[in-house]
Amino acid sequence: QVHLQESGPGLVKPSETLSLTCTVSGDSVSSSDYYWSWVRQSPGKGLEWIGYIYRTGSAFYNPSLDSRVTISMDASRNQFSLRLTSVTPADTAVYFCAKILLYYFAPYYFKSWGQGMLVTVPS
Amino acid sequence: QTVVTQESSLSVSPGGTVTLTCGLSSDSVSSNYYPSWYQQTPGQAPRTLIYNTNSRSFGVPARFSGSILGNKAALIITGAQAEDEADYYCVLYRNTVLFGGGTRLTVL
């Protein structure tokens, strides 16, 4: 059974870079069957897709965040990571990592989720 | 900009049936968008309910079903139970991942 666990600083200062890591167990980030994704949820708000990465290193991002987001992968550690630059209080959210099943290389659905991690950017 | 529309809130009586819908601001939703549905209770991660329009994820009760109704994707809960009170999100894929704004379902 796959398990995804987010880790990283829970507090990031404005204008700095948010960095989170998702450690995967019970599955391999090198699998050809999945994309590995980040999703966030601001307090009291809905879910927002941030982006996903494939085993080749190819990544796709939400256009609204594209200029500030980088998702990378470390297959040797079975991890993938999120970097979000120039953060503001609007980036305060619970950040989830997730596994997306592929169907003909298109995202099919979110199959597994991490428990989520709150990151706060103070005003 | 494409927006995925969901009812902001709905209510259902215990044992009743409720339909949640998922539409698009600029198109009709079809199975080609691979509609999927997720349930989220407070403080928890989302739980996958339905994928590919009408396929139930492992362990999801049969009272949850999915379909296309008219020009929208739909999640139908037949025989709602108290534990179904939650937020429900649809996701569509069309060259990018699109989340709906979520529906808060109250069971009372």
PDB file of all heavy atoms in Angstrom, chain A residues 39 41 45-47 49 52 96 103 106-111 113-115, chain B residues 34 36 38 40 44-46 48 51-52 89 91 93 96-97 99-101:
ATOM      1  N   VAL A  39      -0.932  19.538  -4.619  1.00  0.00           N
ATOM      2  CA  VAL A  39      -2.226  20.216  -4.546  1.00  0.00           C
ATOM      3  C   VAL A  39      -2.232  21.016  -3.245  1.00  0.00           C
ATOM      4  O   VAL A  39      -1.672  20.554  -2.240  1.00  0.00           O
ATOM      5  CB  VAL A  39      -3.389  19.203  -4.546  1.00  0.00           C
ATOM      6  CG1 VAL A  39      -4.734  19.898  -4.337  1.00  0.00           C
ATOM      7  CG2 VAL A  39      -3.402  18.403  -5.849  1.00  0.00           C
ATOM      8  N   GLN A  41      -4.499  23.781  -0.440  1.00  0.00           N
ATOM      9  CA  GLN A  41      -5.806  24.220   0.020  1.00  0.00           C
ATOM     10  C   GLN A  41      -5.617  25.344   1.031  1.00  0.00           C
ATOM     11  O   GLN A  41      -5.159  25.113   2.154  1.00  0.00           O
ATOM     12  CB  GLN A  41      -6.570  23.055   0.654  1.00  0.00           C
ATOM     13  CG  GLN A  41      -7.990  23.373   1.055  1.00  0.00           C
ATOM     14  CD  GLN A  41      -8.756  22.118   1.452  1.00  0.00           C
ATOM     15  OE1 GLN A  41      -8.213  21.194   2.065  1.00  0.00           O
ATOM     16  NE2 GLN A  41     -10.031  22.058   1.098  1.00  0.00           N
ATOM     17  N   LYS A  45     -10.830  27.247   2.054  1.00  0.00           N
ATOM     18  CA  LYS A  45     -11.052  27.310   0.602  1.00  0.00           C
ATOM     19  C   LYS A  45     -11.006  25.924  -0.021  1.00  0.00           C
ATOM     20  O   LYS A  45     -10.831  24.916   0.651  1.00  0.00           O
ATOM     21  CB  LYS A  45      -9.989  28.208  -0.039  1.00  0.00           C
ATOM     22  CG  LYS A  45      -9.941  29.626   0.522  1.00  0.00           C
ATOM     23  CD  LYS A  45     -11.223  30.385   0.236  1.00  0.00           C
ATOM     24  CE  LYS A  45     -11.113  31.832   0.703  1.00  0.00           C
ATOM     25  NZ  LYS A  45     -12.376  32.582   0.473  1.00  0.00           N
ATOM     26  N   GLY A  46     -11.145  25.905  -1.348  1.00  0.00           N
ATOM     27  CA  GLY A  46     -11.147  24.655  -2.073  1.00  0.00           C
ATOM     28  C   GLY A  46      -9.745  24.186  -2.442  1.00  0.00           C
ATOM     29  O   GLY A  46      -8.739  24.816  -2.117  1.00  0.00           O
ATOM     30  N   LEU A  47      -9.706  23.056  -3.138  1.00  0.00           N
ATOM     31  CA  LEU A  47      -8.441  22.466  -3.560  1.00  0.00           C
ATOM     32  C   LEU A  47      -7.945  23.139  -4.839  1.00  0.00           C
ATOM     33  O   LEU A  47      -8.730  23.467  -5.728  1.00  0.00           O
ATOM     34  CB  LEU A  47      -8.636  20.973  -3.807  1.00  0.00           C
ATOM     35  CG  LEU A  47      -9.078  20.149  -2.588  1.00  0.00           C
ATOM     36  CD1 LEU A  47      -9.539  18.756  -3.015  1.00  0.00           C
ATOM     37  CD2 LEU A  47      -7.938  20.048  -1.580  1.00  0.00           C
ATOM     38  N   TRP A  49      -4.905  22.658  -7.828  1.00  0.00           N
ATOM     39  CA  TRP A  49      -3.816  21.875  -8.388  1.00  0.00           C
ATOM     40  C   TRP A  49      -2.618  22.783  -8.644  1.00  0.00           C
ATOM     41  O   TRP A  49      -2.747  23.867  -9.221  1.00  0.00           O
ATOM     42  CB  TRP A  49      -4.267  21.213  -9.688  1.00  0.00           C
ATOM     43  CG  TRP A  49      -3.167  20.524 -10.433  1.00  0.00           C
ATOM     44  CD1 TRP A  49      -2.464  19.428 -10.045  1.00  0.00           C
ATOM     45  CD2 TRP A  49      -2.640  20.897 -11.710  1.00  0.00           C
ATOM     46  NE1 TRP A  49      -1.535  19.088 -10.994  1.00  0.00           N
ATOM     47  CE2 TRP A  49      -1.620  19.969 -12.030  1.00  0.00           C
ATOM     48  CE3 TRP A  49      -2.926  21.916 -12.616  1.00  0.00           C
ATOM     49  CZ2 TRP A  49      -0.898  20.038 -13.216  1.00  0.00           C
ATOM     50  CZ3 TRP A  49      -2.208  21.979 -13.804  1.00  0.00           C
ATOM     51  CH2 TRP A  49      -1.212  21.052 -14.085  1.00  0.00           C
ATOM     52  N   TYR A  52       2.404  18.652 -11.638  1.00  0.00           N
ATOM     53  CA  TYR A  52       2.816  17.258 -11.480  1.00  0.00           C
ATOM     54  C   TYR A  52       4.073  16.993 -12.297  1.00  0.00           C
ATOM     55  O   TYR A  52       4.445  17.775 -13.187  1.00  0.00           O
ATOM     56  CB  TYR A  52       1.699  16.278 -11.858  1.00  0.00           C
ATOM     57  CG  TYR A  52       1.096  16.408 -13.239  1.00  0.00           C
ATOM     58  CD1 TYR A  52       1.801  16.062 -14.388  1.00  0.00           C
ATOM     59  CD2 TYR A  52      -0.219  16.854 -13.392  1.00  0.00           C
ATOM     60  CE1 TYR A  52       1.235  16.168 -15.645  1.00  0.00           C
ATOM     61  CE2 TYR A  52      -0.793  16.960 -14.643  1.00  0.00           C
ATOM     62  CZ  TYR A  52      -0.077  16.611 -15.767  1.00  0.00           C
ATOM     63  OH  TYR A  52      -0.646  16.725 -17.011  1.00  0.00           O
ATOM     64  N   PHE A  96      -0.722  19.256  -0.151  1.00  0.00           N
ATOM     65  CA  PHE A  96      -0.840  17.815  -0.264  1.00  0.00           C
ATOM     66  C   PHE A  96       0.034  17.325  -1.414  1.00  0.00           C
ATOM     67  O   PHE A  96       0.048  17.937  -2.496  1.00  0.00           O
ATOM     68  CB  PHE A  96      -2.281  17.401  -0.583  1.00  0.00           C
ATOM     69  CG  PHE A  96      -3.307  17.723   0.459  1.00  0.00           C
ATOM     70  CD1 PHE A  96      -4.074  18.877   0.363  1.00  0.00           C
ATOM     71  CD2 PHE A  96      -3.523  16.863   1.524  1.00  0.00           C
ATOM     72  CE1 PHE A  96      -5.038  19.182   1.301  1.00  0.00           C
ATOM     73  CE2 PHE A  96      -4.496  17.155   2.476  1.00  0.00           C
ATOM     74  CZ  PHE A  96      -5.246  18.315   2.364  1.00  0.00           C
ATOM     75  N   TYR A 103      -3.490   7.524 -17.894  1.00  0.00           N
ATOM     76  CA  TYR A 103      -4.235   6.781 -18.903  1.00  0.00           C
ATOM     77  C   TYR A 103      -3.826   7.349 -20.248  1.00  0.00           C
ATOM     78  O   TYR A 103      -4.149   8.493 -20.563  1.00  0.00           O
ATOM     79  CB  TYR A 103      -5.744   6.925 -18.679  1.00  0.00           C
ATOM     80  CG  TYR A 103      -6.584   6.108 -19.634  1.00  0.00           C
ATOM     81  CD1 TYR A 103      -6.599   4.722 -19.535  1.00  0.00           C
ATOM     82  CD2 TYR A 103      -7.358   6.714 -20.608  1.00  0.00           C
ATOM     83  CE1 TYR A 103      -7.365   3.971 -20.395  1.00  0.00           C
ATOM     84  CE2 TYR A 103      -8.128   5.969 -21.475  1.00  0.00           C
ATOM     85  CZ  TYR A 103      -8.130   4.589 -21.373  1.00  0.00           C
ATOM     86  OH  TYR A 103      -8.895   3.836 -22.228  1.00  0.00           O
ATOM     87  N   ALA A 106      -2.273  10.716 -20.083  1.00  0.00           N
ATOM     88  CA  ALA A 106      -3.080  11.806 -19.546  1.00  0.00           C
ATOM     89  C   ALA A 106      -3.395  11.517 -18.083  1.00  0.00           C
ATOM     90  O   ALA A 106      -3.529  10.349 -17.701  1.00  0.00           O
ATOM     91  CB  ALA A 106      -4.373  11.959 -20.334  1.00  0.00           C
ATOM     92  N   PRO A 107      -3.514  12.550 -17.269  1.00  0.00           N
ATOM     93  CA  PRO A 107      -3.888  12.315 -15.867  1.00  0.00           C
ATOM     94  C   PRO A 107      -5.283  11.724 -15.794  1.00  0.00           C
ATOM     95  O   PRO A 107      -6.229  12.312 -16.313  1.00  0.00           O
ATOM     96  CB  PRO A 107      -3.852  13.716 -15.254  1.00  0.00           C
ATOM     97  CG  PRO A 107      -3.057  14.546 -16.183  1.00  0.00           C
ATOM     98  CD  PRO A 107      -3.291  13.964 -17.539  1.00  0.00           C
ATOM     99  N   TYR A 108      -5.390  10.575 -15.176  1.00  0.00           N
ATOM    100  CA  TYR A 108      -6.659   9.864 -15.121  1.00  0.00           C
ATOM    101  C   TYR A 108      -7.431  10.259 -13.863  1.00  0.00           C
ATOM    102  O   TYR A 108      -8.565  10.697 -13.946  1.00  0.00           O
ATOM    103  CB  TYR A 108      -6.367   8.369 -15.146  1.00  0.00           C
ATOM    104  CG  TYR A 108      -7.500   7.462 -15.535  1.00  0.00           C
ATOM    105  CD1 TYR A 108      -8.534   7.873 -16.344  1.00  0.00           C
ATOM    106  CD2 TYR A 108      -7.507   6.136 -15.105  1.00  0.00           C
ATOM    107  CE1 TYR A 108      -9.558   7.011 -16.700  1.00  0.00           C
ATOM    108  CE2 TYR A 108      -8.518   5.269 -15.459  1.00  0.00           C
ATOM    109  CZ  TYR A 108      -9.540   5.703 -16.245  1.00  0.00           C
ATOM    110  OH  TYR A 108     -10.543   4.849 -16.592  1.00  0.00           O
ATOM    111  N   TYR A 109      -6.809  10.059 -12.715  1.00  0.00           N
ATOM    112  CA  TYR A 109      -7.400  10.527 -11.471  1.00  0.00           C
ATOM    113  C   TYR A 109      -6.354  10.462 -10.362  1.00  0.00           C
ATOM    114  O   TYR A 109      -5.344   9.803 -10.485  1.00  0.00           O
ATOM    115  CB  TYR A 109      -8.643   9.732 -11.092  1.00  0.00           C
ATOM    116  CG  TYR A 109      -8.395   8.289 -10.695  1.00  0.00           C
ATOM    117  CD1 TYR A 109      -8.335   7.907  -9.353  1.00  0.00           C
ATOM    118  CD2 TYR A 109      -8.238   7.300 -11.653  1.00  0.00           C
ATOM    119  CE1 TYR A 109      -8.117   6.598  -8.989  1.00  0.00           C
ATOM    120  CE2 TYR A 109      -8.020   5.983 -11.304  1.00  0.00           C
ATOM    121  CZ  TYR A 109      -7.963   5.633  -9.977  1.00  0.00           C
ATOM    122  OH  TYR A 109      -7.749   4.331  -9.612  1.00  0.00           O
ATOM    123  N   PHE A 110      -6.630  11.206  -9.276  1.00  0.00           N
ATOM    124  CA  PHE A 110      -5.791  11.194  -8.094  1.00  0.00           C
ATOM    125  C   PHE A 110      -6.062   9.910  -7.329  1.00  0.00           C
ATOM    126  O   PHE A 110      -7.137   9.740  -6.748  1.00  0.00           O
ATOM    127  CB  PHE A 110      -6.074  12.411  -7.213  1.00  0.00           C
ATOM    128  CG  PHE A 110      -5.607  13.709  -7.815  1.00  0.00           C
ATOM    129  CD1 PHE A 110      -6.404  14.402  -8.722  1.00  0.00           C
ATOM    130  CD2 PHE A 110      -4.366  14.240  -7.481  1.00  0.00           C
ATOM    131  CE1 PHE A 110      -5.975  15.597  -9.276  1.00  0.00           C
ATOM    132  CE2 PHE A 110      -3.922  15.435  -8.034  1.00  0.00           C
ATOM    133  CZ  PHE A 110      -4.732  16.108  -8.936  1.00  0.00           C
ATOM    134  N   LYS A 111      -5.082   9.006  -7.307  1.00  0.00           N
ATOM    135  CA  LYS A 111      -5.300   7.685  -6.733  1.00  0.00           C
ATOM    136  C   LYS A 111      -4.960   7.633  -5.243  1.00  0.00           C
ATOM    137  O   LYS A 111      -5.603   6.922  -4.480  1.00  0.00           O
ATOM    138  CB  LYS A 111      -4.477   6.646  -7.490  1.00  0.00           C
ATOM    139  CG  LYS A 111      -4.761   5.196  -7.112  1.00  0.00           C
ATOM    140  CD  LYS A 111      -4.053   4.254  -8.057  1.00  0.00           C
ATOM    141  CE  LYS A 111      -4.190   2.805  -7.592  1.00  0.00           C
ATOM    142  NZ  LYS A 111      -5.600   2.357  -7.626  1.00  0.00           N
ATOM    143  N   TRP A 113      -3.267  10.051  -1.728  1.00  0.00           N
ATOM    144  CA  TRP A 113      -2.962  11.372  -1.198  1.00  0.00           C
ATOM    145  C   TRP A 113      -2.101  11.265   0.062  1.00  0.00           C
ATOM    146  O   TRP A 113      -2.259  10.326   0.853  1.00  0.00           O
ATOM    147  CB  TRP A 113      -4.257  12.101  -0.811  1.00  0.00           C
ATOM    148  CG  TRP A 113      -5.211  12.347  -1.917  1.00  0.00           C
ATOM    149  CD1 TRP A 113      -6.072  11.450  -2.493  1.00  0.00           C
ATOM    150  CD2 TRP A 113      -5.431  13.589  -2.594  1.00  0.00           C
ATOM    151  NE1 TRP A 113      -6.813  12.065  -3.473  1.00  0.00           N
ATOM    152  CE2 TRP A 113      -6.448  13.383  -3.551  1.00  0.00           C
ATOM    153  CE3 TRP A 113      -4.885  14.878  -2.466  1.00  0.00           C
ATOM    154  CZ2 TRP A 113      -6.902  14.396  -4.391  1.00  0.00           C
ATOM    155  CZ3 TRP A 113      -5.350  15.883  -3.297  1.00  0.00           C
ATOM    156  CH2 TRP A 113      -6.348  15.640  -4.256  1.00  0.00           C
ATOM    157  N   GLY A 114      -1.221  12.239   0.254  1.00  0.00           N
ATOM    158  CA  GLY A 114      -0.574  12.388   1.536  1.00  0.00           C
ATOM    159  C   GLY A 114      -1.537  13.037   2.516  1.00  0.00           C
ATOM    160  O   GLY A 114      -2.623  13.483   2.146  1.00  0.00           O
ATOM    161  N   GLN A 115      -1.136  13.108   3.770  1.00  0.00           N
ATOM    162  CA  GLN A 115      -2.023  13.653   4.801  1.00  0.00           C
ATOM    163  C   GLN A 115      -2.088  15.171   4.764  1.00  0.00           C
ATOM    164  O   GLN A 115      -3.010  15.774   5.328  1.00  0.00           O
ATOM    165  CB  GLN A 115      -1.548  13.197   6.181  1.00  0.00           C
ATOM    166  CG  GLN A 115      -0.185  13.747   6.582  1.00  0.00           C
ATOM    167  CD  GLN A 115       0.304  13.184   7.907  1.00  0.00           C
ATOM    168  OE1 GLN A 115      -0.104  12.110   8.327  1.00  0.00           O
ATOM    169  NE2 GLN A 115       1.197  13.907   8.559  1.00  0.00           N
TER     170      GLN A 115
ATOM    171  N   TYR B  34     -12.644  12.749 -18.298  1.00  0.00           N
ATOM    172  CA  TYR B  34     -12.305  11.834 -17.195  1.00  0.00           C
ATOM    173  C   TYR B  34     -12.765  12.398 -15.840  1.00  0.00           C
ATOM    174  O   TYR B  34     -11.973  12.517 -14.907  1.00  0.00           O
ATOM    175  CB  TYR B  34     -10.803  11.577 -17.134  1.00  0.00           C
ATOM    176  CG  TYR B  34     -10.192  11.039 -18.411  1.00  0.00           C
ATOM    177  CD1 TYR B  34      -8.952  11.472 -18.854  1.00  0.00           C
ATOM    178  CD2 TYR B  34     -10.859  10.100 -19.188  1.00  0.00           C
ATOM    179  CE1 TYR B  34      -8.383  10.976 -20.015  1.00  0.00           C
ATOM    180  CE2 TYR B  34     -10.307   9.607 -20.358  1.00  0.00           C
ATOM    181  CZ  TYR B  34      -9.073  10.045 -20.770  1.00  0.00           C
ATOM    182  OH  TYR B  34      -8.521   9.571 -21.923  1.00  0.00           O
ATOM    183  N   SER B  36     -13.678  12.935 -12.144  1.00  0.00           N
ATOM    184  CA  SER B  36     -13.457  12.185 -10.919  1.00  0.00           C
ATOM    185  C   SER B  36     -13.992  12.998  -9.746  1.00  0.00           C
ATOM    186  O   SER B  36     -14.134  14.223  -9.841  1.00  0.00           O
ATOM    187  CB  SER B  36     -11.977  11.831 -10.731  1.00  0.00           C
ATOM    188  OG  SER B  36     -11.151  12.979 -10.775  1.00  0.00           O
ATOM    189  N   TYR B  38     -14.043  13.513  -5.304  1.00  0.00           N
ATOM    190  CA  TYR B  38     -13.297  13.336  -4.069  1.00  0.00           C
ATOM    191  C   TYR B  38     -14.110  13.875  -2.898  1.00  0.00           C
ATOM    192  O   TYR B  38     -14.770  14.905  -3.011  1.00  0.00           O
ATOM    193  CB  TYR B  38     -11.943  14.062  -4.164  1.00  0.00           C
ATOM    194  CG  TYR B  38     -11.175  13.613  -5.391  1.00  0.00           C
ATOM    195  CD1 TYR B  38     -11.407  14.202  -6.625  1.00  0.00           C
ATOM    196  CD2 TYR B  38     -10.278  12.551  -5.331  1.00  0.00           C
ATOM    197  CE1 TYR B  38     -10.766  13.754  -7.765  1.00  0.00           C
ATOM    198  CE2 TYR B  38      -9.626  12.100  -6.463  1.00  0.00           C
ATOM    199  CZ  TYR B  38      -9.891  12.705  -7.678  1.00  0.00           C
ATOM    200  OH  TYR B  38      -9.255  12.241  -8.809  1.00  0.00           O
ATOM    201  N   GLN B  40     -13.951  15.125   1.114  1.00  0.00           N
ATOM    202  CA  GLN B  40     -13.028  15.622   2.121  1.00  0.00           C
ATOM    203  C   GLN B  40     -13.790  16.016   3.374  1.00  0.00           C
ATOM    204  O   GLN B  40     -14.708  16.828   3.323  1.00  0.00           O
ATOM    205  CB  GLN B  40     -12.230  16.816   1.602  1.00  0.00           C
ATOM    206  CG  GLN B  40     -11.114  17.247   2.549  1.00  0.00           C
ATOM    207  CD  GLN B  40     -10.354  18.458   2.054  1.00  0.00           C
ATOM    208  OE1 GLN B  40     -10.913  19.344   1.440  1.00  0.00           O
ATOM    209  NE2 GLN B  40      -9.052  18.499   2.337  1.00  0.00           N
ATOM    210  N   GLN B  44      -8.904  16.452   7.087  1.00  0.00           N
ATOM    211  CA  GLN B  44      -8.437  15.230   6.438  1.00  0.00           C
ATOM    212  C   GLN B  44      -8.019  15.484   4.995  1.00  0.00           C
ATOM    213  O   GLN B  44      -8.418  16.474   4.377  1.00  0.00           O
ATOM    214  CB  GLN B  44      -9.543  14.171   6.454  1.00  0.00           C
ATOM    215  CG  GLN B  44      -9.993  13.761   7.857  1.00  0.00           C
ATOM    216  CD  GLN B  44      -8.872  13.130   8.652  1.00  0.00           C
ATOM    217  OE1 GLN B  44      -8.159  12.245   8.184  1.00  0.00           O
ATOM    218  NE2 GLN B  44      -8.690  13.604   9.871  1.00  0.00           N
ATOM    219  N   ALA B  45      -7.249  14.560   4.475  1.00  0.00           N
ATOM    220  CA  ALA B  45      -6.918  14.594   3.056  1.00  0.00           C
ATOM    221  C   ALA B  45      -8.139  14.157   2.246  1.00  0.00           C
ATOM    222  O   ALA B  45      -9.018  13.461   2.758  1.00  0.00           O
ATOM    223  CB  ALA B  45      -5.742  13.665   2.772  1.00  0.00           C
ATOM    224  N   PRO B  46      -8.196  14.569   0.998  1.00  0.00           N
ATOM    225  CA  PRO B  46      -9.286  14.085   0.143  1.00  0.00           C
ATOM    226  C   PRO B  46      -9.250  12.565   0.017  1.00  0.00           C
ATOM    227  O   PRO B  46      -8.198  11.935   0.108  1.00  0.00           O
ATOM    228  CB  PRO B  46      -9.013  14.760  -1.201  1.00  0.00           C
ATOM    229  CG  PRO B  46      -8.190  15.958  -0.872  1.00  0.00           C
ATOM    230  CD  PRO B  46      -7.343  15.540   0.290  1.00  0.00           C
ATOM    231  N   THR B  48     -10.584   9.529  -2.608  1.00  0.00           N
ATOM    232  CA  THR B  48     -11.049   9.310  -3.973  1.00  0.00           C
ATOM    233  C   THR B  48     -12.314   8.457  -3.960  1.00  0.00           C
ATOM    234  O   THR B  48     -12.309   7.352  -3.410  1.00  0.00           O
ATOM    235  CB  THR B  48      -9.965   8.636  -4.816  1.00  0.00           C
ATOM    236  OG1 THR B  48      -8.753   9.416  -4.741  1.00  0.00           O
ATOM    237  CG2 THR B  48     -10.400   8.513  -6.264  1.00  0.00           C
ATOM    238  N   TYR B  51     -13.897   7.681 -10.338  1.00  0.00           N
ATOM    239  CA  TYR B  51     -13.012   8.093 -11.422  1.00  0.00           C
ATOM    240  C   TYR B  51     -13.597   7.651 -12.753  1.00  0.00           C
ATOM    241  O   TYR B  51     -14.497   6.796 -12.798  1.00  0.00           O
ATOM    242  CB  TYR B  51     -11.589   7.559 -11.231  1.00  0.00           C
ATOM    243  CG  TYR B  51     -11.486   6.048 -11.244  1.00  0.00           C
ATOM    244  CD1 TYR B  51     -11.192   5.354 -12.410  1.00  0.00           C
ATOM    245  CD2 TYR B  51     -11.675   5.314 -10.070  1.00  0.00           C
ATOM    246  CE1 TYR B  51     -11.096   3.973 -12.424  1.00  0.00           C
ATOM    247  CE2 TYR B  51     -11.584   3.940 -10.067  1.00  0.00           C
ATOM    248  CZ  TYR B  51     -11.294   3.269 -11.249  1.00  0.00           C
ATOM    249  OH  TYR B  51     -11.203   1.900 -11.253  1.00  0.00           O
ATOM    250  N   ASN B  52     -13.101   8.256 -13.827  1.00  0.00           N
ATOM    251  CA  ASN B  52     -13.583   7.903 -15.174  1.00  0.00           C
ATOM    252  C   ASN B  52     -15.116   7.919 -15.238  1.00  0.00           C
ATOM    253  O   ASN B  52     -15.738   6.976 -15.739  1.00  0.00           O
ATOM    254  CB  ASN B  52     -13.042   6.542 -15.591  1.00  0.00           C
ATOM    255  CG  ASN B  52     -13.236   6.274 -17.078  1.00  0.00           C
ATOM    256  OD1 ASN B  52     -13.291   7.200 -17.874  1.00  0.00           O
ATOM    257  ND2 ASN B  52     -13.361   5.008 -17.439  1.00  0.00           N
ATOM    258  N   TYR B  89     -15.445  17.397  -4.149  1.00  0.00           N
ATOM    259  CA  TYR B  89     -14.790  18.098  -5.248  1.00  0.00           C
ATOM    260  C   TYR B  89     -14.802  17.235  -6.502  1.00  0.00           C
ATOM    261  O   TYR B  89     -14.552  16.034  -6.438  1.00  0.00           O
ATOM    262  CB  TYR B  89     -13.335  18.418  -4.891  1.00  0.00           C
ATOM    263  CG  TYR B  89     -13.188  19.390  -3.749  1.00  0.00           C
ATOM    264  CD1 TYR B  89     -13.095  18.944  -2.442  1.00  0.00           C
ATOM    265  CD2 TYR B  89     -13.158  20.758  -3.985  1.00  0.00           C
ATOM    266  CE1 TYR B  89     -12.974  19.832  -1.380  1.00  0.00           C
ATOM    267  CE2 TYR B  89     -13.031  21.662  -2.931  1.00  0.00           C
ATOM    268  CZ  TYR B  89     -12.946  21.193  -1.643  1.00  0.00           C
ATOM    269  OH  TYR B  89     -12.834  22.079  -0.608  1.00  0.00           O
ATOM    270  N   VAL B  91     -13.024  16.824 -10.341  1.00  0.00           N
ATOM    271  CA  VAL B  91     -11.824  17.162 -11.101  1.00  0.00           C
ATOM    272  C   VAL B  91     -12.051  16.750 -12.547  1.00  0.00           C
ATOM    273  O   VAL B  91     -12.540  15.652 -12.822  1.00  0.00           O
ATOM    274  CB  VAL B  91     -10.575  16.465 -10.539  1.00  0.00           C
ATOM    275  CG1 VAL B  91      -9.361  16.708 -11.438  1.00  0.00           C
ATOM    276  CG2 VAL B  91     -10.280  16.959  -9.124  1.00  0.00           C
ATOM    277  N   TYR B  93     -10.123  16.746 -16.543  1.00  0.00           N
ATOM    278  CA  TYR B  93      -8.842  16.913 -17.233  1.00  0.00           C
ATOM    279  C   TYR B  93      -9.100  17.299 -18.686  1.00  0.00           C
ATOM    280  O   TYR B  93      -9.812  16.625 -19.399  1.00  0.00           O
ATOM    281  CB  TYR B  93      -8.010  15.639 -17.203  1.00  0.00           C
ATOM    282  CG  TYR B  93      -6.754  15.809 -18.027  1.00  0.00           C
ATOM    283  CD1 TYR B  93      -5.719  16.604 -17.563  1.00  0.00           C
ATOM    284  CD2 TYR B  93      -6.644  15.241 -19.302  1.00  0.00           C
ATOM    285  CE1 TYR B  93      -4.595  16.820 -18.330  1.00  0.00           C
ATOM    286  CE2 TYR B  93      -5.514  15.453 -20.064  1.00  0.00           C
ATOM    287  CZ  TYR B  93      -4.486  16.238 -19.572  1.00  0.00           C
ATOM    288  OH  TYR B  93      -3.372  16.451 -20.348  1.00  0.00           O
ATOM    289  N   THR B  96      -5.160  20.222 -18.926  1.00  0.00           N
ATOM    290  CA  THR B  96      -4.693  20.635 -17.609  1.00  0.00           C
ATOM    291  C   THR B  96      -5.658  20.070 -16.584  1.00  0.00           C
ATOM    292  O   THR B  96      -6.750  19.619 -16.925  1.00  0.00           O
ATOM    293  CB  THR B  96      -4.600  22.174 -17.496  1.00  0.00           C
ATOM    294  OG1 THR B  96      -3.955  22.518 -16.262  1.00  0.00           O
ATOM    295  CG2 THR B  96      -5.971  22.817 -17.541  1.00  0.00           C
ATOM    296  N   VAL B  97      -5.240  20.077 -15.345  1.00  0.00           N
ATOM    297  CA  VAL B  97      -6.079  19.555 -14.270  1.00  0.00           C
ATOM    298  C   VAL B  97      -6.953  20.684 -13.733  1.00  0.00           C
ATOM    299  O   VAL B  97      -6.448  21.743 -13.359  1.00  0.00           O
ATOM    300  CB  VAL B  97      -5.198  18.976 -13.143  1.00  0.00           C
ATOM    301  CG1 VAL B  97      -6.067  18.518 -11.974  1.00  0.00           C
ATOM    302  CG2 VAL B  97      -4.364  17.812 -13.663  1.00  0.00           C
ATOM    303  N   PHE B  99      -9.884  21.714 -10.987  1.00  0.00           N
ATOM    304  CA  PHE B  99     -10.661  21.395  -9.791  1.00  0.00           C
ATOM    305  C   PHE B  99     -11.908  22.271  -9.751  1.00  0.00           C
ATOM    306  O   PHE B  99     -11.840  23.488 -10.021  1.00  0.00           O
ATOM    307  CB  PHE B  99      -9.844  21.679  -8.523  1.00  0.00           C
ATOM    308  CG  PHE B  99      -8.993  20.535  -8.059  1.00  0.00           C
ATOM    309  CD1 PHE B  99      -7.706  20.377  -8.532  1.00  0.00           C
ATOM    310  CD2 PHE B  99      -9.465  19.632  -7.127  1.00  0.00           C
ATOM    311  CE1 PHE B  99      -6.910  19.325  -8.096  1.00  0.00           C
ATOM    312  CE2 PHE B  99      -8.678  18.581  -6.680  1.00  0.00           C
ATOM    313  CZ  PHE B  99      -7.396  18.426  -7.161  1.00  0.00           C
ATOM    314  N   GLY B 100     -13.014  21.675  -9.369  1.00  0.00           N
ATOM    315  CA  GLY B 100     -14.186  22.462  -9.050  1.00  0.00           C
ATOM    316  C   GLY B 100     -14.034  23.118  -7.683  1.00  0.00           C
ATOM    317  O   GLY B 100     -13.152  22.761  -6.908  1.00  0.00           O
ATOM    318  N   GLY B 101     -14.905  24.076  -7.411  1.00  0.00           N
ATOM    319  CA  GLY B 101     -14.808  24.818  -6.165  1.00  0.00           C
ATOM    320  C   GLY B 101     -15.306  24.062  -4.944  1.00  0.00           C
ATOM    321  O   GLY B 101     -15.107  24.512  -3.816  1.00  0.00           O
TER     322      GLY B 101
END
